[in-house]
Structures are given as structure tokens and as C-alpha cells.
Amino acid sequence: MEQLTVEPQKAILAGVNLNHQPDFEYSMEELANLAAACDVEVAGVVTQNLSRVNTSHYIGTGKLQDVRALMELHQANMVIFNDELSPSQIRNLESELDCKVIDRTILILDIFGDRARTREAQLQVEVAELQYMLPRLVGLRESLGRQSGGVGTKNRGAGEKKLELDRRRIEEKINALNKELEVLVAHRQTQRKKRKKTEVPVVSLVGYTNAGKSTVMNALVELYTETKDKFVFEKDMLFATLETSVRNIELEDNKTFLLTDTVGFVSKLPHHLVKAFRSTLEEVKDSELLVHVVDFSNPEYEQHIRITNETLKAIGVEDIPMIYAYNKIDLKEGDIPQSQDNIVYTAAKQKQGIDELIGAIRERIFKDYVKCEMLIPYDQGQLVSYLNEHATILLTEYEEHGTKLTLECRQSDYSKYELYVCS
């Protein structure tokens, strides 16, 4: 049987630096990384300084000539633009360049589509793709007809099938997917309510994509469970994890907290995706503490911190205490500062700084614990069992009228069983 050969993807990147943005160069580097994550080879880059983008073609006519020349020189078959293009811009650019034209948004959607593993993540990505495509049907249809490919960088035909639908049917599809999503979201909210009833504090890992959140989670899981069965997927790649994972971390003194790992952020994260993943990211809202994992070895780490904090604010996550875990210190040249206040320095892969991180977490989420003595009557043995399981027992003594416990417990348990506290 004759095998189909897939044409290799080779792209020219194009970006507009509006009013000399300080982070523009990094934004273009990141676009190249996003392209690489889609197995697209970057053959050249064209940039332009403008006070506002060209409404018809995004870049000026002179730069369009430069793009065309680079395409011919490197035999590129695609141009990727660093911002979200309007439907008319896609149409005009495709007409001028006679090739597939995509933007940063569809590139990120492609990566999310590849990485989504759970049904919920797959639904969220599909909703975001359809919402993105709806106003762009004409321009995208021409592109797909020329390239016989799928959405964005993919040659899978899925995009063509979707675009055969008219607008009404696409809207119906979005509604059907959203209804299915609502069922999954309701199930997760029920799980969250159950967790809240247990009064176990929740700590959420947040941060820029590929900062090492999953590695931090696995380091803690291994340290406190001595098993790899509960490991989450980790890899040195953009958006390795899209699903929210929750793990129970039980410390040696019976103190327990839930650790959640969430999707990473990136600059110019498409608003369709933020909207689609809002329900997943709402896990973060129920946290008592955020651990903001930062790739300290990346020269742009301060930019990553700013983007992450802005994205958290955009989804309504504010006023939650935060610890910064400056990760990958093993890849950083020079002296590493001492941990201080809300900053801890870690190399999660090498298990460096994990004890300090646990100490910082413990200090903040268990501050309402009370140290006391309780005398529990012998006919209340179930209470002794409960405290042994949910409190830190420092000393047990058997006296005439009952079991005397010297312990450290949650404020809520102290209030509940204050009757037995020794004065």
C-alpha cells in the first residue's frame, strides 16, 4: 500500500513591536518555542516597529515583501504571526502570501489539543478552538483548502471536517460541548465540597509553563508517600500538564494538606482558552496557600512572575497568601541567595530545598494549631482514636479518670472538645 507523505512544516515568524515593548524579543523567542512544540521548523523571523498594527495586513507592505522573500529563500510553507489576527487580516495575508497563515492563538490551541488527556481538558480545548474559528470561517476555509491540513499546524483533517459545518451547527456543537462540560464541572465541584468538609487545607502550585510545578509535586509525593504510583506527568516541554491533579500530602506529625497542580501560563494566553479552562483553574480559588513556582534559571523569570500574577488576577484569584519557589537553582550561575520570608530556592529534580519549602508551607497553613492538654474519660475511647488520627500527640498518660493527652490540634477541634481541656 502506498504511504502518504506529510509535507514538513517550515515557517517564517512575523511580529509587530508596538511602541517598543520591553518584552518583545522574548515574546518572539517564545513564539519560536511554541512552533517547535508543534514540530514546526522556524526558517526565519521578520519584525517591525509600529505605533499600531496594520489593520488590513498586520504588518506593512514593505515587510510583507520581506516575508515573501524569506519564504522563497528557505522554501517555507507557513507564516506564523505573534498576535491574534482578525478574520480579514487572515484573508488578506493568505491572498498576498499564497500560503497557510496562522497566529499565536491557534498555535497554542494546537499544543493544548495535543496535550489534553482527560475528557474535560479535551472538551475545554475543543470549545476554545470552535469559538476561535467561528468568526474566521472564510479565511480558514481558504487556508485549509490550499494546505489540505487541519487546524493550525496539523495535517489531520479535523479542522476541515469542523469547517464543513455552517455557523449554526458550530454554535450548536459549542452548546452541546458546554453542557457536557457542565456535568464534569459539577462533579468536580461536588468533590471540592467534600474536601472542604474535611477541613484539610489546600495548597496550589501555580506558575509559568515549564517552570517545574509537576516536578515539585512529584518531589513532595515521593518524600511523603514513598511511592511513584501517584506521580504526575513531568517533562521539559511547554504545557506538559493541562489537567488539575490533586494529591494528599501527609506529614510525619499527622498534619495533612492537599496539593494541586494546575495548567501553566504563557504570555498572551488566548482568552478563549482562559475562558474554557476557568472551571479547572477555579480549583486555585479554594486554596489556603499558593506556591508560585518560578524557573529561576530563565533570564526572563521576572517577566514570567508578572504574567502569572496577571493571569491569576484575570481569573479572579486574589488575596490568597503566596510563597515563591525559585526553582532550577542547579542551572543558575553564581551564588544562590538565602531563603527569606515568602521566597524559597529549590532544585526539585535534585530534591534541593524541598525541606525548606515544606517548612514554609507548614508555617503558613498550620498556624491555627493549638498546643494543649486534654483529659479524655475512658468511656470516650473513640475521641482518643480521633485525636490520634487528626492531631499530633506529643505525650500519652493514663490517669485515674481517663487518658491524658498532650497534643497539638486544629483550632476547630480545640473549640469542639474544649470541655476536655485541662485548665
Side-chain angles (χ1 to χ4, degrees), residues 258-269:
L258 293 174
L259 185 66
T260 71
D261 180 23
T262 57
V263 61
F265 302 134
V266 70
S267 64
K268 302 182 184 179
L269 192 64

Side-chain angles (χ1 to χ4, degrees), residues 120-237:
E120 185 175 7
Q122 289 164 351
L123 286 170
Q124 287 166 326
V125 174
E126 192 171 358
V127 166
E129 281 182 347
L130 288 169
Q131 288 173 332
Y132 170 86
M133 286 193 294
L134 195 55
R136 295 171 173 80
L137 288 175
V138 177
L140 283 173
R141 195 187 303 276
E142 290 172 2
S143 170
L144 295 169
R146 181 184 298 111
Q147 295 293 322
S148 346
V151 177
T153 63
K154 307 300 175 194
N155 286 317
R156 58 191 173 207
E160 288 175 288
K161 289 173 189 171
K162 286 174 186 168
L163 292 175
E164 285 167 7
L165 306 171
D166 58 21
R167 289 180 190 277
R168 182 178 58 80
R169 287 181 62 197
I170 287 182
E171 285 168 353
E172 285 173 359
K173 178 77 170 171
I174 290 171
N175 288 335
L177 292 172
N178 277 329
K179 282 179 182 175
E180 192 176 343
L181 259 176
E182 282 171 15
V183 174
L184 295 173
V185 170
H187 177 64
R188 198 151 35 75
Q189 285 174 340
T190 302
Q191 289 179 320
R192 282 214 304 266
K193 283 177 185 173
K194 284 180 182 175
R195 291 203 298 265
K196 269 192 167 183
K197 282 183 181 177
T198 65
E199 297 183 349
V200 177
V202 177
V203 178
S204 289
L205 299 169
V206 297
Y208 212 73
T209 182
N210 209 26
K213 296 185 301 300
S214 298
T215 310
V216 169
M217 174 173 254
N218 286 342
L220 291 172
V221 167
E222 186 175 12
L223 189 60
Y224 290 101
T225 64
E226 297 181 351
T227 176
K228 296 188 177 181
D229 295 346
K230 297 289 186 181
F231 272 20
V232 294
F233 178 70
E234 62 173 87
K235 192 173 181 181
D236 184 12
M237 61 197 260

Side-chain angles (χ1 to χ4, degrees), residues 22-40:
D23 59 341
F24 176 72
E25 281 186 26
Y26 179 70
S27 175
M28 291 300 295
E29 282 176 33
E30 193 172 69
L31 186 67
N33 291 334
L34 291 167
C38 284
D39 298 319
V40 174

Side-chain angles (χ1 to χ4, degrees), residues 275-301:
K275 188 177 177 184
F277 275 79
R278 185 179 295 273
S279 60
T280 304
L281 294 168
E282 278 177 356
E283 293 276 356
V284 178
K285 284 185 180 179
D286 289 331
S287 307
E288 275 74 24
L289 178 68
L290 302 181
V291 176
H292 186 157
V293 182
V294 180
D295 179 358
F296 194 39
S297 69
N298 192 307
E300 305 292 334
Y301 75 88

Side-chain angles (χ1 to χ4, degrees), residues 220-351:
L220 291 172
V221 167
E222 186 175 12
L223 189 60
Y224 290 101
T225 64
E226 297 181 351
T227 176
K228 296 188 177 181
D229 295 346
K230 297 289 186 181
F231 272 20
V232 294
F233 178 70
E234 62 173 87
K235 192 173 181 181
D236 184 12
M237 61 197 260
L238 299 176
F239 302 115
T241 307
L242 295 188
E243 289 75 33
T244 296
S245 304
V246 182
R247 297 292 182 267
N248 190 65
I249 305 296
E250 188 171 335
L251 305 179
E252 61 278 352
D253 56 2
N254 281 353
K255 291 188 176 78
T256 300
F257 66 90
L258 293 174
L259 185 66
T260 71
D261 180 23
T262 57
V263 61
F265 302 134
V266 70
S267 64
K268 302 182 184 179
L269 192 64
H271 67 278
H272 293 308
L273 269 180
V274 172
K275 188 177 177 184
F277 275 79
R278 185 179 295 273
S279 60
T280 304
L281 294 168
E282 278 177 356
E283 293 276 356
V284 178
K285 284 185 180 179
D286 289 331
S287 307
E288 275 74 24
L289 178 68
L290 302 181
V291 176
H292 186 157
V293 182
V294 180
D295 179 358
F296 194 39
S297 69
N298 192 307
E300 305 292 334
Y301 75 88
E302 290 180 343
Q303 169 80 352
H304 292 180
I305 292 171
R306 183 180 63 77
I307 290 165
T308 299
N309 287 336
E310 285 175 357
T311 309
L312 287 169
K313 191 173 181 180
I315 61 172
V317 178
E318 294 185 86
D319 303 321
I320 298 176
M322 183 181 286
I323 295 171
Y324 289 88
Y326 281 42
N327 194 34
K328 305 188 185 181
I329 56 171
D330 52 317
L331 305 178
K332 179 88 172 172
E333 293 182 2
D335 296 332
I336 303 300
Q338 289 290 315
S339 297
Q340 54 180 321
D341 296 331
N342 64 335
I343 297 176
V344 179
Y345 295 90
T346 64
K349 203 85 174 169
Q350 281 69 37
K351 311 291 190 294

